[in-house]
């Protein structure tokens, strides 16, 4: 069974073909990141226009790479939320059109859920990927860390999960992107902070970790009577502001000093130390909660997903602190791609999920898990 997956929720136009939920046959990602980098972040109009230009070619290349004609494709899966409205529209319109023209069942995919399913890919015919040997098993704890989301989710099975906690403000990837701006490092912030952090001292400064005690009704219901006092929510906006205040203070300025002038005021060594300290603390924030959730729920497997899951610091901290080893997917499959969408699409087909009417398919920019 082969599924074509289409992804366009942010600035990547992506398509992939996955067989049986675990074999990656074709995977093409075109990004408007270079255009976006000139503006220091994603400009929705530029992203949408780039999707229009790229989408047909990307789908064709994914099919060619997979050695598939339309007769070989059993279903189409497409991200319909969460994401930027204009960006989602292009992928969804393309998928609807292809489903109608080629008479294929169409599945609506939740982008955040799809990130988790990148971890279900265990084989590929493509060069240059390092994949886990086996698929994760349930119950599965998923740490989802991207530019738009920071969540801990406990999966009992496919499509059967509880959201243990999530961010109250910025996502962790967003915090990386904003701190990169403060330090004058290029977009996207995750990789550039990571690179810079290698040159700095991760213990150079003190930065605060948010301590949230909120417990969601879903978590309370899952726990029943025996409730530990802690929850699994995150907050990153305070940490980002702490970096800003620290950068102002160490350059001899007060809080009114404009952040756009900080890259010039900071020395190269200060930038490296700030990057390294932020990288350590932001990562510890999510690792602390993952370890607590592991201790409470004793899952059979743990996966990490989303763009920040590409981070070597995150992978190292989890290796050092979790009692069980994690099988990581290739970093290329952590950032947005069509393979994760196609993989989840395969499980919709296997599960007997209802395909969506291609004539009436909506987009849902604010979709949550
Ligand atoms: O999953 P993704 O591609 O898009 C969203 O769904 O948001 O994640 C993008 C985010 C960006 O914030 C980027 O800075 C971050 O992932 N990111 C990283 C790394 N690579 C990408 N963060 C930390 N370390 C990395 N190596
Ligand atoms: Zn994403």
């Amino acid at each position: 069974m082969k599924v074509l997956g289409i992804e366009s929720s942010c600035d990547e136009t992506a398509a992939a073909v996955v067989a049986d939920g675990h074999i990656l046959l074709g995977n093409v990602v075109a990004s408007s990141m270079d255009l976006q980098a000139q503006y220091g972040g994603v400009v929705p109009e530029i992203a949408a226009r780039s999707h229009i230009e790229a989408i047909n070619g990307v789908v064709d290349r994914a099919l060619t790479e997979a050695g598939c004609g339309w007769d070989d494709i059993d279903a189409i899966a497409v991200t319909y939320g969460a994401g930027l409205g204009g960006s989602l529209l292009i992928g969804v319109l393309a998928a609807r059109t292809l489903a109608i023209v080629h008479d294929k069942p169409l599945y609506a995919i939740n982008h955040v859920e799809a990130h988790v399913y990148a971890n279900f890919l265990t084989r590929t015919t493509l060069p240059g990927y390092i994949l886990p040997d086996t698929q994760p098993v349930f119950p599965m704890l998923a740490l989802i860390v991207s530019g738009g989301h920071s969540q801990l989710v406990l999966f009992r099975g496919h499509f059967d999960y509880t959201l243990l906690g999530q961010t109250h403000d910025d996502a962790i990837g967003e915090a990386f992107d904003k701190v990169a701006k403060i330090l004058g490092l290029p977009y996207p912030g995750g990789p550039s902070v990571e690179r810079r952090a290698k040159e700095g001292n991760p213990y150079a400064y003190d930065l605060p970790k948010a301590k949230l005690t909120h417990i969601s009704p879903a978590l309370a219901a899952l726990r029943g009577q025996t409730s530990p006092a802690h929850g699994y929510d995150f907050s990153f906006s305070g940490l980002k502001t702490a970096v800003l205040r620290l950068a102002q203070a160490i350059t001899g300025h007060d809080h009114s000093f404009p952040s756009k002038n900080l890259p010039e005021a900071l020395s190269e060594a200060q930038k490296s130390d700030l990057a390294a300290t932020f990288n350590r603390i932001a990562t510890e924030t999510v690792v602390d909660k993952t370890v607590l959730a592991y201790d409470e729920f004793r899952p059979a497997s743990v996966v990490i997903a989303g763009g920040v899951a590409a981070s070597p610091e995150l992978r190292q901290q989890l290796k050092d602190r979790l009692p069980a080893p994690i099988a990581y997917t290739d970093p290329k499959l952590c950032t947005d791609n069509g393979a994760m969408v196609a993989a989840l699409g395969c499980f919709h087909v296997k599960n007997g999920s209802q395909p969506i009417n291609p004539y009436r398919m909506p987009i849902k920019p604010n979709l949550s898990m």
Side-chain angles (χ1 to χ4, degrees):
M1 182 251 296
K2 296 191 180 82
V3 172
L4 169 72
I6 296 177
E7 156 65 38
S8 72
S9 65
C10 192
D11 57 346
E12 272 94 12
T13 320
V17 179
V18 168
D20 303 327
H22 73 118
I23 311 169
L24 179 61
L25 300 175
N27 188 38
V28 176
V29 181
S31 175
S32 56
M33 205 178 278
D34 293 348
L35 279 174
Q36 313 287 357
Q38 297 171 32
Y39 300 90
V42 176
V43 181
E45 288 77 8
I46 294 180
R49 204 176 315 133
S50 302
H51 287 310
I52 294 173
E53 287 165 9
I55 189 84
N56 289 338
V58 165
V59 170
D60 285 348
R61 278 167 55 209
L63 288 170
T64 305
E65 200 173 84
C68 287
W70 279 104
D71 287 348
D72 303 311
I73 298 296
D74 296 286
I76 299 173
V78 63
T79 300
Y80 79 124
L84 299 169
S87 289
L88 288 167
L89 258 183
I90 311 305
V92 165
L93 277 173
R96 290 170 61 185
T97 309
L98 292 168
I100 292 165
V101 170
H102 298 288
D103 194 21
K104 305 289 176 189
L106 178 63
Y107 292 89
I109 299 294
N110 179 323
H111 177 83
V112 184
E113 215 178 306
H115 268 300
V116 174
Y117 278 77
N119 291 287
F120 283 80
L121 296 164
T122 56
R123 279 171 50 197
T124 183
T125 50
L126 305 174
Y129 289 85
I130 299 173
L131 301 178
D133 296 332
T134 54
Q135 291 190 323
V137 282
F138 299 109
M140 170 181 83
L141 178 66
L143 171 67
I144 306 167
V145 277
S146 72
H149 297 85
S150 306
Q151 301 183 329
L152 265 170
V153 184
L154 185 67
F155 283 76
R156 283 170 294 274
H158 297 295
F159 311 108
D160 176 15
Y161 54 76
T162 301
L163 178 60
L164 301 178
Q166 60 187 327
T167 183
H168 282 218
D169 38 60
D170 292 352
I172 181 171
E174 200 178 346
F176 269 96
D177 296 336
K178 288 176 176 170
V179 165
K181 246 187 179 168
I182 292 170
L183 303 181
L185 305 176
Y187 175 84
S192 55
V193 168
E194 189 87 50
R195 269 194 303 277
R196 195 64 197 232
K198 288 198 190 102
E199 294 160 32
N201 171 7
Y203 295 91
Y205 304 111
D206 274 336
L207 284 172
K209 270 192 235 170
K211 293 196 176 59
L212 298 183
T213 52
H214 174 256
I215 293 168
S216 70
L219 174 58
L222 183 69
R223 282 171 163 174
Q225 299 302 316
T226 54
S227 280
H230 62 264
Y232 295 105
D233 284 351
F234 305 109
S235 165
F236 291 99
S237 77
L239 176 58
K240 167 204 67 192
T241 307
V243 173
L244 173 63
R245 296 285 175 258
L246 180 58
Q248 289 164 326
I250 61 178
T251 52
H253 300 94
D254 70 8
H255 67 277
S256 63
F257 188 73
S259 63
K260 67 175 172 35
N261 295 343
L262 278 169
E264 279 204 357
L266 287 162
S267 72
E268 294 308 310
Q270 286 171 327
K271 286 181 192 175
S272 303
D273 285 346
L274 283 168
T277 309
F278 167 78
N279 191 29
R280 174 178 67 84
I281 294 287
T283 308
E284 277 177 11
T285 305
V286 292
V287 172
D288 288 351
K289 294 279 161 82
T290 308
V291 172
L292 278 176
Y294 183 88
D295 288 343
E296 183 174 355
F297 297 105
R298 293 280 150 185
S301 58
V302 181
V303 297
I304 59 173
V308 183
S311 155
E313 173 73 17
L314 176 59
R315 292 172 178 221
Q316 187 60 49
Q317 284 196 22
L318 285 169
K319 187 164 173 259
D320 293 344
R321 293 184 50 197
L322 268 187
I326 297 190
Y328 298 112
T329 190
D330 195 288
K332 292 191 284 299
L333 297 174
C334 292
T335 44
D336 291 349
N337 63 81
M340 64 190 201
V341 176
L344 178 53
C346 288
F347 287 98
H348 274 293
V349 175
K350 281 189 184 180
N351 196 53
S353 304
Q354 187 63 30
I356 196 156
N357 180 344
Y359 291 95
R360 292 173 181 274
M361 183 181 182
I363 57 161
K364 294 205 170 158
N366 297 320
L367 186 66
S368 59
M369 293 267 306

